[in-house]
Amino acid sequence: MNVKQALKQKNKLVTDLKAQYEILKKYNSIEEGNPRRYSMKDTLDKIEQLAGELVVLKARIHQANQPVYSQIFQLAELKGLVKELKKVPTDEGKQAERYASVASVKEVELSIVDIQNMVEYYNVKIEALQDELDVHNATTQI
């Protein structure tokens, strides 16, 4: 199994685990006399089994990813930077306040065009890093 397949398997295990937790929460307490749709003991056994598989798989993924940790961390930070840049206010010029008759004049150091150019620049870097990681994930066996 390569890293890409392992990551897909990890996501499936996480989804299955969440579903078992939902069963536990939803069907543990039922009205007396109603049929019990799920065994809580079986559900807990399934949770323990899935969690065990998830731990083993995560450990194997982490071991396989050691050579590319710096790229993984850089990718995460660049994605965070782009996300935050998109939140930077770029309103400039005369701005009418909502409930006031007073208009304010705003100026910015980074214009909307500057922000868009930075986002585009960082997105190119993100794509290049993601391409590197995609190759690693497809070719590295765990």
Side-chain angles (χ1 to χ4, degrees), residues 69-102:
Y69 272 152
S70 62
Q71 289 98 320
I72 291 170
F73 298 146
Q74 186 178 13
L75 181 66
E77 293 307 318
L78 286 174
K79 285 182 176 182
L81 174 59
V82 165
K83 181 179 175 183
E84 293 304 317
L85 281 172
K86 289 179 177 181
K87 295 178 187 177
V88 173
T90 55
D91 299 335
E92 57 184 326
K94 286 188 178 181
Q95 304 290 316
E97 300 298 322
R98 285 187 180 188
Y99 300 109
S101 58
V102 180

Side-chain angles (χ1 to χ4, degrees), residues 17-18 22-23 31 52 70 90 98 107 118 122 128 133 139:
L17 195 55
K18 284 181 183 178
E22 285 303 313
I23 289 171
E31 187 140 347
S70 62
T90 55
R98 285 187 180 188
E107 62 179 38
M118 285 189 280
Y122 289 122
L133 291 173
T139 58

Side-chain angles (χ1 to χ4, degrees), residues 126-137:
I126 287 169
E127 286 178 26
L129 278 169
Q130 189 61 62
D131 288 346
E132 281 181 47
L133 291 173
D134 288 345
V135 169
H136 169 79
N137 291 346

Side-chain angles (χ1 to χ4, degrees), residues 7 16-17 22 27 40 49 52 61 79 97 130 136 142:
L7 290 169
D16 293 348
L17 195 55
E22 285 303 313
Y27 295 105
M40 292 303 102
Q49 178 235 328
I61 291 168
K79 285 182 176 182
E97 300 298 322
Q130 189 61 62
H136 169 79
I142 66 168

Side-chain angles (χ1 to χ4, degrees), residues 5-132:
Q5 293 164 328
L7 290 169
K8 282 185 177 181
Q9 180 64 25
K10 178 189 72 80
N11 291 339
K12 183 183 179 322
L13 285 170
V14 167
T15 300
D16 293 348
L17 195 55
K18 284 181 183 178
Q20 293 301 310
Y21 282 125
E22 285 303 313
I23 289 171
L24 193 64
K25 289 188 283 187
K26 186 173 181 179
Y27 295 105
N28 182 55
S29 179
I30 61 170
E31 187 140 347
E32 188 177 345
N34 282 348
R36 183 164 295 280
R37 296 190 182 352
Y38 295 94
S39 161
M40 292 303 102
K41 182 191 176 320
D42 291 347
T43 301
L44 285 169
D45 288 346
K46 183 72 173 173
I47 287 171
E48 193 173 319
Q49 178 235 328
L50 290 169
E53 288 178 36
L54 190 57
V55 167
V56 169
L57 190 57
K58 282 182 173 182
R60 291 176 65 197
I61 291 168
H62 281 282
Q63 289 169 348
N65 281 341
Q66 281 182 336
V68 293
Y69 272 152
S70 62
Q71 289 98 320
I72 291 170
F73 298 146
Q74 186 178 13
L75 181 66
E77 293 307 318
L78 286 174
K79 285 182 176 182
L81 174 59
V82 165
K83 181 179 175 183
E84 293 304 317
L85 281 172
K86 289 179 177 181
K87 295 178 187 177
V88 173
T90 55
D91 299 335
E92 57 184 326
K94 286 188 178 181
Q95 304 290 316
E97 300 298 322
R98 285 187 180 188
Y99 300 109
S101 58
V102 180
S104 64
V105 178
K106 293 185 176 186
E107 62 179 38
V108 295
E109 185 170 336
L110 297 172
S111 72
I112 190 165
V113 173
D114 295 330
I115 298 290
Q116 288 171 338
N117 287 338
M118 285 189 280
V119 166
E120 186 177 312
Y121 170 78
Y122 289 122
N123 276 334
V124 168
K125 291 180 99 167
I126 287 169
E127 286 178 26
L129 278 169
Q130 189 61 62
D131 288 346
E132 281 181 47

